[in-house]
Amino acid sequence: MSNKQSKKNENKKKYQQNNKNKTKTSLFSFRKIVFISAILTGLASYYVYQAITTPPDLPKLDLNEYWGPYPMKLNPDLSIRPYQIEFSDVMINDLKERLLHRRPFPPPLENTGFTYGFNSHFMTRVLDYWQNKYNFKEREDFFNKYDHYMTNVQGLDIHYMHVKPNVAGDIKVVPLLLLHGWPGSIREFYEIIPKLITPRVGHDFVFEIIAPSLPGYGFSQAPARPGLGPAEMAVVISNLMKRIGHEKYYIQGGDAGHLLGSIISTVFPDRVLGFHTNMPMLWFHPLAHFYTLLGNFWPKLIVEPELESRMYPWSEHVARLIEESGYLHLQATKPDTIGIALTESPAGLAAYILDKFCTMTNPSNKDSQDGNLLPKYSLTHLLDNIMVYWSTNSMTTAVRLYAETFNKRALSMRLDEIPTVVPTWGIKFKYELAYQPDSILKLKFKNYLHSTMVEDGGHFATFENPDIMATDIFDAVKTFREFHNVVGNPQDIDKSKLEKPETIYDFTVKDIYGRDVKLDKYKGFVLLIVNVASQCGLTDTNYNQLNELYEKYAKSRDFRILAFPCNQFGTQEPGSAKDILKFIQERGVKFDVFEKIEVNGENSHPLWTFLKRTQSGTFGDFIKWNFSKFIVDKNGIPVERFGPNVNPLDLEPYLAKYW
């Protein structure tokens, strides 16, 4: 029995040992798998990060590619020829016949306004006006009030308006290229041109206007073969400007005009003195989409709180884009199909175009029985734009640009991902199709200088708001000229407005008593600059520790703290200067406190604009909350940035690097 028991025990031990060894082996294998998986995940993440953050090379474009019909002329006429817009009697009679003999429209559903598309009751009114009250000859004269020209570029007859101002010799004339989009045309620019060629107070320049019809649009010839996408069209426009005699110029564009202006600024940055856009967007940048999606879960990471409603809730904005972008999918896939329908029917053309003017001006317009079109536009002006397409039979060739934009060849160029140093300025109307904050736009536009925020207006900016647009273009170009140091002396330039200062010593601020303080008084000091609030959950900890830091290092290490009250985060600094002064006196604050300011948005203090640009945050340069902190070295250069979650005393080892 003892032998049997002994063998039994021995077998039991062997079994336990084997199980133990198996467990160790399994555990080792599991750890090995986890380790290898972690390495592979890290490598994959690094590869993805590199792929989406490394800009592609500029595409190789043929700057003389021929787009005209074959056979090519051996000696093409490259002269610049005067051109007259004509509404021929044959065209007018044909149009009136079509309008007269149109079929009756099915009535709209009750109380639907424009929610099902263009309201047929209002369409009857539009077409009756077009047939009976639109004065074709008068409008022809209107179109010809400016000088028009035609010249052949790369095999295509390209039309453009050229308007030169008549000004005194002390006023500088600078060239401005105006680029339209779809379903717009050169007609959009007629109200803004007089404002751009007229001198105004505070500006010593006016504009010489060059406004081409894009190839295939209106009065410009369409290409004879596929492939004239945005990049190739940008080459044509660039060559047009050289033909006219302008090696350097400013650009303004929206819609397709924004896309072309962006590409010209990217491919030919030495030719563009500044780019003004009323649709500042990166449509094809993967990081822009990633940040936008991330902001759906934490909007404050991406966009300033006061502008959050322009982007989020994301689902609402995506729903609007889906509702309003059906035309885009159709034109990007079957442009000739929709082109045939719109070429045959003036009613169809009017409905298709004016529907965009309704909902892209303000999405709430669709609830109105007349699309709320007439408070913003006159029927004559709207029909002028439609006449550009109808009289030239160019709708089919115009919408082909969408097919040439949204295809594998064009998208593979990744032009939105290639940075440009051309100074850029955006104006953002409230009801534009989409909104992106400056932090996203700076992924491409490295010298994105300013955004003008407008609490109204939509997609057709120059048509709808010519006064606002003209003022903004003047302000933008004045800033561009200062950026290039082409006006005045360098010491006269307002560096804070340009976001081009080199140190904080270039700024003047007001202290809590309202007195001007030039920051060059802090030369030789290490600084901590912080936005503060007196009613925040972080107030006690931060104020106590800021006091402690100041007492420890103000004298021994030439250290100073500059605190700027701000009420932009949860309205937690609502008081007046007197209230803030009382608060800091009760706390025994010894560091320097300044006048209440804004740190984000259009009215952001120039110092804080500079701090944010120099030390960008993790998900954008805007300030996220109270008690964000910047360390500035003894040379006045912002060197490190910390979020509200970092307590002041935690900064001691970082400050020590700059003593």
Side-chain angles (χ1 to χ4, degrees):
M1 292 292 293
S2 59
N3 288 336
K4 287 183 178 180
Q5 185 66 38
S6 177
K7 285 183 179 180
K8 189 176 181 180
N9 291 338
E10 186 177 341
N11 291 335
K12 185 177 181 180
K13 286 181 180 179
K14 286 182 180 180
Y15 177 76
Q16 290 175 341
Q17 185 64 39
N18 287 337
N19 281 343
K20 193 173 184 180
N21 290 337
K22 286 181 181 178
T23 301
K24 286 183 177 179
T25 301
S26 299
L27 185 59
F28 174 77
S29 299
F30 176 73
R31 289 175 176 172
K32 187 176 180 180
I33 291 171
V34 170
F35 178 71
I36 293 173
S37 299
I39 291 176
L40 292 175
T41 301
L43 290 173
S45 299
Y46 177 76
Y47 175 79
V48 171
Y49 175 79
Q50 288 288 81
I52 64 177
T53 58
T54 302
D57 295 329
L58 275 173
K60 294 180 180 179
L61 300 171
D62 184 349
L63 303 187
N64 297 296
E65 189 168 3
Y66 181 79
W67 295 105
Y70 288 116
M72 294 176 60
K73 294 180 180 178
L74 294 179
N75 296 300
D77 182 2
L78 302 181
S79 65
I80 294 176
R81 314 179 298 277
Y83 181 80
Q84 285 278 310
I85 291 175
E86 180 186 6
F87 294 159
S88 70
D89 290 338
V90 173
M91 182 273 295
I92 294 171
N93 290 334
D94 173 73
L95 173 60
K96 287 188 173 183
E97 282 293 311
R98 291 171 186 263
L99 293 171
L100 176 64
H101 296 293
R102 65 183 183 266
R103 297 175 69 185
F105 306 124
L109 296 173
E110 294 180 1
N111 303 316
T112 55
F114 273 56
T115 57
Y116 277 67
F118 207 97
N119 187 289
S120 56
H121 284 337
F122 186 66
M123 177 50 64
T124 299
R125 178 179 172 186
V126 171
L127 299 182
D128 285 345
Y129 184 92
W130 198 3
Q131 178 186 349
N132 301 310
K133 296 183 180 180
Y134 184 83
N135 190 323
F136 291 89
K137 290 304 178 184
E138 178 187 276
R139 302 319 293 169
E140 180 184 271
D141 292 340
F142 172 84
F143 270 101
N144 288 308
K145 67 185 290 188
Y146 299 126
D147 292 332
H148 296 256
Y149 298 90
M150 190 77 76
T151 188
N152 193 275
V153 181
Q154 296 174 243
L156 300 178
D157 282 339
I158 301 299
H159 157 266
Y160 65 96
M161 286 194 299
H162 198 168
V163 186
K164 297 181 179 181
N166 183 14
V167 292
D170 60 338
I171 299 294
K172 178 76 173 176
V173 177
V174 299
L176 176 64
L177 173 63
L178 294 180
L179 296 172
H180 67 80
W182 184 92
S185 67
I186 58 163
R187 175 59 186 87
E188 295 178 76
F189 303 134
Y190 272 70
E191 280 69 39
I192 197 174
I193 285 175
K195 305 176 191 304
L196 295 174
I197 63 176
T198 303
R200 57 177 56 199
V201 176
H203 300 78
D204 61 354
F205 62 89
V206 292
F207 297 102
E208 173 187 341
I209 304 299
I210 301 95
S213 295
L214 302 184
Y217 284 72
F219 310 101
S220 285
Q221 187 178 356
R225 62 195 56 83
L228 187 70
E232 293 79 12
M233 194 175 287
V235 172
V236 172
I237 299 300
S238 176
N239 286 336
L240 171 67
M241 292 300 285
K242 288 182 69 176
R243 174 75 54 79
I244 294 170
H246 291 302
E247 292 287 341
K248 294 180 181 291
Y249 44 89
Y250 301 94
I251 298 178
Q252 197 292 316
D255 191 76
H258 161 78
L259 184 59
L260 294 178
S262 174
I263 294 172
I264 296 172
S265 299
T266 302
V267 179
F268 307 109
D270 293 338
R271 300 182 189 177
V272 184
L273 296 168
F275 175 38
H276 179 277
T277 169
N278 56 280
M279 194 181 183
M281 291 291 298
L282 300 181
W283 287 107
F284 309 113
H285 198 300
L287 278 180
H289 300 312
F290 172 74
Y291 289 156
T292 300
L293 182 60
L294 185 63
N296 189 49
F297 304 100
W298 195 355
K300 289 183 175 62
L301 286 174
I302 304 302
V303 63
E304 299 93 328
E306 63 271 22
L307 297 172
E308 182 180 321
S309 63
R310 294 200 179 196
M311 288 185 76
Y312 304 108
W314 191 54
S315 58
E316 293 181 6
H317 290 273
V318 169
R320 182 197 173 196
L321 280 176
I322 292 173
E323 181 179 355
E324 297 301 331
S325 62
Y327 77 94
L328 186 151
H329 183 75
L330 181 60
Q331 292 170 194
T333 54
K334 305 291 183 182
D336 284 29
T337 300
I338 187 62
I340 290 172
L342 302 180
T343 295
E344 180 65 19
S345 168
L349 181 68
Y352 198 71
I353 289 179
L354 294 184
D355 179 76
K356 304 295 170 261
F357 275 84
C358 167
T359 55
M360 290 184 184
T361 297
N362 186 328
S364 67
N365 286 349
K366 66 183 180 181
D367 298 323
S368 172
Q369 298 301 309
D370 63 358
N372 212 27
L373 284 166
L374 299 186
K376 290 287 187 178
Y377 316 100
S378 75
L379 280 181
T380 294
H381 294 174
L382 291 171
L383 288 168
D384 282 346
N385 182 62
I386 294 171
M387 283 295 296
V388 172
Y389 288 95
W390 182 262
S391 67
T392 60
N393 194 15
S394 61
M395 179 53 77
T396 300
T397 56
V399 298
R400 283 176 184 162
L401 178 59
Y402 285 76
E404 301 291 1
T405 301
F406 296 91
N407 61 38
K408 186 176 181 180
R409 180 192 58 81
L411 294 175
S412 67
M413 296 184 189
R414 299 169 59 193
L415 285 160
D416 258 0
E417 300 175 53
I418 302 175
T420 177
V421 296
V422 169
T424 303
W425 178 299
I427 181 168
K428 301 176 180 179
F429 289 89
K430 185 172 184 178
Y431 301 114
E432 183 55 276
L433 285 172
Y435 173 85
Q436 285 179 343
D438 294 2
S439 57
I440 287 180
L441 297 171
K442 289 178 181 179
L443 292 170
K444 176 176 178 64
F445 303 107
K446 297 306 179 182
N447 286 310
Y448 190 88
L449 302 182
H450 176 78
S451 283
T452 301
M453 307 305 301
V454 184
E455 289 301 314
D456 192 17
H459 188 67
F460 303 97
T462 52
F463 214 8
E464 180 188 358
N465 291 297
D467 288 309
I468 295 174
M469 282 290 289
T471 297
D472 202 61
I473 293 169
F474 266 102
D475 289 345
V477 172
K478 181 179 180 181
T479 303
F480 296 154
R481 285 163 61 79
E482 291 173 347
F483 180 91
H484 292 295
N485 281 346
V486 296
V487 260
N489 298 314
Q491 62 266 28
D492 296 330
I493 296 172
D494 183 355
K495 292 183 178 180
S496 62
K497 181 177 180 180
L498 289 176
E499 299 186 314
K500 285 281 294 176
E502 297 178 357
T503 72
I504 68 156
Y505 306 143
D506 294 310
F507 297 93
T508 297
V509 298
K510 290 185 180 297
D511 66 15
I512 193 64
Y513 300 98
R515 302 172 298 196
D516 285 340
V517 177
K518 293 184 177 180
L519 294 186
D520 59 5
K521 68 174 281 190
Y522 294 101
K523 285 184 177 179
F525 289 89
V526 174
L527 305 177
L528 181 65
I529 301 180
V530 55
N531 62 308
V532 297
S534 58
Q535 298 180 17
C536 178
L538 303 174
T539 298
D540 286 342
T541 299
N542 276 269
Y543 263 98
N544 291 337
Q545 293 192 17
L546 287 171
N547 271 333
E548 188 175 343
L549 267 185
Y550 184 84
E551 290 171 355
K552 287 175 69 174
Y553 299 116
K555 292 183 179 179
S556 64
R557 298 293 186 181
D558 290 333
F559 172 65
R560 294 291 183 270
I561 296 173
L562 283 59
F564 290 83
C566 178
N567 193 42
Q568 287 185 287
F569 307 103
T571 62
Q572 293 173 350
E573 189 69 284
S576 63
K578 185 176 180 181
D579 297 326
I580 296 170
L581 185 59
K582 180 181 178 182
F583 173 81
I584 62 176
Q585 287 173 344
E586 290 174 349
R587 282 189 168 266
V589 169
K590 297 179 181 178
F591 51 83
D592 297 338
V593 180
F594 295 86
E595 184 179 67
K596 185 162 70 173
I597 61 165
E598 293 186 11
V599 298
N600 287 328
E602 183 179 353
N603 297 317
S604 173
H605 192 283
L607 170 63
W608 283 79
T609 300
F610 170 68
L611 292 171
K612 292 184 293 181
R613 180 176 64 84
T614 310
Q615 289 292 320
S616 182
T618 305
F619 297 105
D621 59 3
F622 58 92
I623 304 301
K624 312 301 188 297
W625 198 252
N626 304 308
F627 299 102
S628 295
K629 304 166 185 75
F630 294 84
I631 295 176
V632 179
D633 69 13
K634 291 185 177 183
N635 299 311
I637 298 173
V639 287
E640 300 202 46
R641 173 175 175 166
F642 301 89
N645 58 314
V646 180
N647 291 330
L649 290 180
D650 295 336
L651 300 179
E652 288 183 280
Y654 299 97
L655 290 166
K657 294 187 291 185
Y658 306 104
W659 295 141

